[in-house]
Amino acid sequence: MNRLQISAVAAAALALSATSAMAGPSYTFSISAGTQPTNVGVITLTQNNTSVDVNVDLLAGYGFLNTGGPHTPFAFNLSGAGTPTIAFTTPANGIYASGVLSLNTGGGDNTPYGTFGVAIDSSAGNGSGAAYYGDLLFTLSRAGGLDTTDFVANAGGYFFSADLTDGRNTGAQAWSTRTVTGTPGTTGTPVPEPTSLALFGAALAGLGFAARRRRQAV
């Protein structure tokens, strides 16, 4: 290749890497086990470019709390390297009437469902009166990107756990069954978006044209 051709390939590769996105499928976790009913909440994971949106949709009247024991308001596991960061949508900025929700990358427990590598803690005190009642929506990100398939089960086979209350009864809940609700992509691998594919295709076409002209000139 001459310098012009090499530059075209390099530019196409750069555009491809700059506009790529993760391609994890959407997952739904609707079956759970624990103190509360088995349909107490549905968890949905949705790929959002290189981040993942997490939506925990609880039944009306239920909330996340601290009860000790040890129990953690919400916990899960992530595979791969890098420290995740969080942006809360609901409650806004993680702030609610009794406290503040925050990401704990040291993890947490939810007896009897085991230990999890990442947790969401609350600054509020123990008990139903300090619980956050409502759905939990947040976006997780990390350097290098995060894929929905990076959410993995712990040693007990549970992907998520929560410490929940209905205002009277409290107890741990865990989700171990997931359903694919979107089109699966390649696990953890950036997938080109249409624009970057077009750029790359144009560069290849240009190389082909240049090669034909060179052959004709010989």
Side-chain angles (χ1 to χ4, degrees):
M1 290 186 185
N2 59 33
R3 290 183 178 179
L4 180 61
Q5 291 171 322
I6 293 172
S7 297
V9 171
L14 181 61
L16 187 64
S17 62
T19 56
S20 62
M22 310 301 284
S26 294
Y27 286 118
T28 298
F29 301 77
S30 56
I31 301 173
S32 57
T35 303
Q36 320 301 337
T38 56
N39 62 342
V40 70
V42 176
I43 300 172
T44 304
L45 301 180
T46 306
Q47 194 71 48
N48 181 358
N49 198 6
T50 56
S51 301
V52 175
D53 293 333
V54 182
N55 184 343
V56 189
D57 184 9
L58 295 182
L59 289 178
Y62 284 89
F64 303 88
L65 80 164
N66 299 315
T67 59
H71 285 144
T72 305
F74 193 66
F76 49 93
N77 280 324
L78 293 176
S79 64
T83 302
T85 59
I86 195 167
F88 286 98
T89 301
T90 306
N93 300 316
I95 302 171
Y96 68 105
S98 299
V100 179
L101 300 175
S102 62
L103 187 68
N104 180 356
T105 56
D109 299 322
N110 263 321
T111 305
Y113 302 110
T115 299
F116 297 82
V118 184
I120 291 179
D121 288 334
S122 171
S123 65
N126 293 346
S128 297
Y132 164 62
Y133 292 91
D135 298 336
L136 183 61
L137 286 79
F138 57 90
T139 299
L140 280 179
S141 306
R142 70 181 176 192
L146 185 68
D147 195 282
T148 57
T149 56
D150 291 330
F151 289 75
V152 295
N154 69 357
Y158 299 102
F159 290 85
F160 297 93
S161 69
D163 194 10
L164 302 178
T165 180
D166 62 359
R168 303 180 305 275
N169 299 319
T170 64
Q173 189 81 187
W175 288 257
S176 61
T177 303
R178 69 181 182 180
T179 302
V180 177
T181 55
T183 303
T186 304
T187 302
T189 301
V191 172
E193 296 174 351
T195 301
S196 56
L197 283 173
L199 288 171
F200 192 68
L204 291 178
L207 287 176
F209 178 72
R212 285 195 301 272
R213 289 193 61 183
R214 188 175 180 181
R215 285 196 299 269
Q216 292 170 358
V218 173

